[in-house]
Amino acid sequence: SQCPYLIDPNTGIRMPESKDIIQYLYDTYALWTPPSELLRLASDVVTPLLAPLYKLITPMQAGSYRENEFEYRSEIAEAKAEIFDEISTAPVVVYTYELSPFCTEAT
């Protein structure tokens, strides 16, 4: 799977890639000016440099190193049910990646 990945049920759009998602969200929903081109360029440089680190820590954050396979599968099923409940009851749901320097919590 790819993270981040956007599924917009309002338009049917599905896309990976942070910068494309951000641009799409601004173009489709924002009422203000998107971030500056300088920030976009910084993201284009920093993200690839940090990609190896993200690849290393992502499985640990996702819990895929659990010793108990049954416990891991149960947690995945619970998470999927929680996600389904969230997307069924809200017009927009935003998930972020806590360790990414480009994400902030949105509620």
Side-chain angles (χ1 to χ4, degrees):
S1 67
Q2 171 118 18
C3 186
Y5 191 84
L6 171 75
I7 302 173
D8 184 347
N10 299 318
T11 62
I13 294 291
R14 296 170 178 260
M15 70 175 63
E17 299 302 328
S18 303
K19 65 182 179 180
D20 294 339
I21 291 170
I22 291 167
Q23 187 64 52
Y24 169 78
L25 291 173
Y26 273 110
D27 291 346
T28 307
Y29 297 106
L31 301 176
W32 58 88
T33 306
S36 72
E37 194 61 32
L38 180 61
L39 288 175
R40 181 187 303 261
L41 292 172
S43 175
D44 288 347
V45 170
V46 173
T47 301
L49 292 175
L50 293 177
L53 175 63
Y54 295 152
K55 188 173 184 174
L56 177 69
I57 62 176
T58 299
M60 290 182 271
Q61 283 192 310
S64 62
Y65 288 119
R66 296 206 188 281
E67 291 180 19
N68 184 327
E69 181 73 18
F70 178 76
E71 180 182 313
Y72 173 68
R73 298 252 178 240
S74 295
E75 288 180 8
I76 294 294
E78 288 175 29
K80 285 181 177 181
E82 185 178 323
I83 289 169
F84 180 78
D85 288 345
E86 288 175 352
I87 64 174
S88 298
T89 59
V92 175
V93 179
V94 177
Y95 296 97
T96 65
Y97 180 62
E98 288 182 24
L99 292 181
S100 171
F102 306 106
C103 292
T104 58
E105 293 299 319
T107 56

